[in-house]
Amino acid sequence: MDLGSLDWLLPSLLVATLGLAGLLALRPELARGRRGRILAFFGLFVLPVALTAAGLSTHMEHAKSTEFCLSCHEMEPYGASLMVAEEGWLPAGHFQNHRVPQEKACFACHTDYTMFGDVKAKLRGAKHLWVHYLGDVPEPGQIALYTPYQNRECLHCHGGARVFVEGMMHEDILAELESGEMSCLDCHDQIHGVPETGEMETWQGASEIAEVLENGGSAAVEVSE
Amino acid sequence: MSSAEISTADTSRRRRRLSLAAWMIAAGLVIELVSLIWSHPTAFLLFLAPGAVLVAVGVAAFLWEIATNPAPVERDEPAPAAKAAD
């Protein structure tokens, strides 16, 4: 646990509140009197509610991490597509060239860039868990998005970027891309390429990145030739 | 049953309910703590249910108890005048 960050604060406050709630559970007579009532109000209302909200926020933030998404074995071949040696491979090109934050690579492309996009993404994640435990998990190559991929997600980063708008391929079709009349995937139709990625050569920097991501940090890897 | 016996029974019931609410909150907090230490998608579900659900039910039970059965406020220390009268 890094004491420099405040990661230790929430568990510590939870333990303290747990002690207070436990004390009131064992000795409810402590809640008599003015001071006792104030103690009970904090121990059984204010602190548990505040800490549950803080815990939810922590979980929501952690659920955006690449490590979190790839911790389910169904996602392993999709994680492998980030690490293939072929730089032209769409996810690999984005991941290895830091076009998406490496510690939030899955989330960066698979959230909805709308007001409640994060919440919708988490609800989809909860549905994944439901299927994982209680449903029929499709074969790796058969896993598909619930709804067609929106250009909005690509244009969140690429839209307005000089290299994109002045690119000879995009210049003529910008209006169609922005209106959704044409999908980015009409041309960029090779995405994760599962299950072929399992047989492809892995990029040399992959092991170092995996190690850094496991520790929850951002990776800056020097690839030895 | 005398009024003193009724009052004692009420106090006992109030303590039992308060204790139950506190146990539920404590159990919910233990689950939330474990889920925060464990880094896995299942931990997120564990946090929501049963963790947050137990805390919510416990808090609701506590609030219901203090709202529906407001106990007479007992002073933490006897008032100086009362001490003098003794």
Side-chain angles (χ1 to χ4, degrees):
Chain A
M1 196 174 280
D2 179 14
L3 290 177
S5 71
L6 291 175
D7 292 349
W8 55 272
L9 187 60
L10 183 57
S12 306
L13 286 172
L14 270 170
V15 170
T17 308
L18 180 61
L20 191 53
L23 186 67
L24 287 163
L26 290 169
R27 298 185 58 192
E29 66 275 11
L30 286 176
R32 286 188 313 178
R34 197 180 298 276
R35 283 184 211 152
R37 285 173 169 213
I38 292 169
L39 185 76
F41 190 71
F42 272 88
L44 300 181
F45 175 58
V46 177
L47 286 172
V49 169
L51 293 176
T52 299
L56 184 64
S57 171
T58 303
H59 268 293
M60 288 286 275
E61 198 53 35
H62 180 60
K64 295 176 184 175
S65 70
T66 308
E67 176 218 353
F68 180 89
C69 298
L70 301 184
S71 62
C72 283
H73 68 88
E74 289 91 343
M75 288 295 115
E76 281 169 10
Y78 294 87
S81 74
L82 304 174
M83 306 292 193
V84 295
E86 199 176 315
E87 208 186 320
W89 208 254
L90 195 89
H94 277 76
F95 182 77
Q96 294 166 20
N97 292 306
H98 294 208
R99 291 184 191 128
V100 289
Q102 288 180 325
E103 69 279 9
K104 291 179 182 176
C106 310
F107 180 81
C109 293
H110 288 284
T111 187
D112 294 352
Y113 287 100
T114 56
M115 185 182 275
F116 299 108
D118 286 12
V119 176
K120 283 182 184 171
K122 292 306 123 212
L123 288 175
R124 286 198 294 268
K127 195 172 174 184
H128 296 342
L129 275 177
W130 179 268
V131 174
H132 174 85
Y133 285 115
L134 302 165
D136 292 324
V137 181
E139 289 299 310
Q142 305 300 316
I143 295 174
L145 298 175
Y146 295 113
T147 53
Y149 197 79
Q150 300 288 315
N151 292 354
R152 177 189 60 213
E153 274 59 89
C154 303
L155 295 175
H156 178 74
C157 297
H158 292 286
R162 184 176 175 184
V163 71
F164 176 76
V165 295
E166 291 181 4
M168 57 180 178
M169 294 300 184
H170 298 133
E171 205 170 12
D172 299 334
I173 54 167
L174 270 182
E176 285 94 327
L177 289 174
E178 281 167 5
S179 66
E181 202 177 311
M182 191 176 176
S183 170
C184 301
L185 307 187
D186 289 345
C187 298
H188 301 278
D189 56 352
Q190 172 279 308
I191 315 295
H192 287 285
V194 173
E196 298 98 84
T197 45
E199 295 150 18
M200 293 172 75
E201 199 183 328
T202 306
W203 175 47
Q204 287 176 328
S207 56
E208 286 96 332
I209 284 196
E211 201 175 303
V212 175
L213 290 178
E214 267 176 32
N215 295 327
S218 175
V221 177
E222 286 179 19
V223 182
S224 56
E225 293 295 329
Chain B
M1 194 181 277
S2 69
S3 61
E5 282 171 329
I6 291 169
S7 174
T8 309
D10 277 353
T11 308
S12 171
R13 198 178 306 125
R14 191 176 300 130
R15 281 184 194 173
R16 255 201 327 272
R17 287 179 184 165
L18 197 66
S19 178
L20 182 67
W23 277 123
M24 280 197 282
I25 291 168
L29 290 174
V30 168
I31 293 166
E32 287 184 7
L33 186 63
V34 170
S35 83
L36 283 166
I37 294 165
W38 183 26
S39 176
H40 192 271
T42 310
F44 189 53
L45 277 192
L46 192 69
F47 177 88
L48 289 178
V53 169
L54 269 172
V55 170
V57 172
V59 166
F62 168 68
L63 292 178
W64 179 259
E65 180 54 33
I66 60 172
T68 55
N69 296 302
V73 175
E74 293 175 25
R75 290 181 187 280
D76 294 316
E77 289 169 15
K83 269 185 183 172
D86 290 338

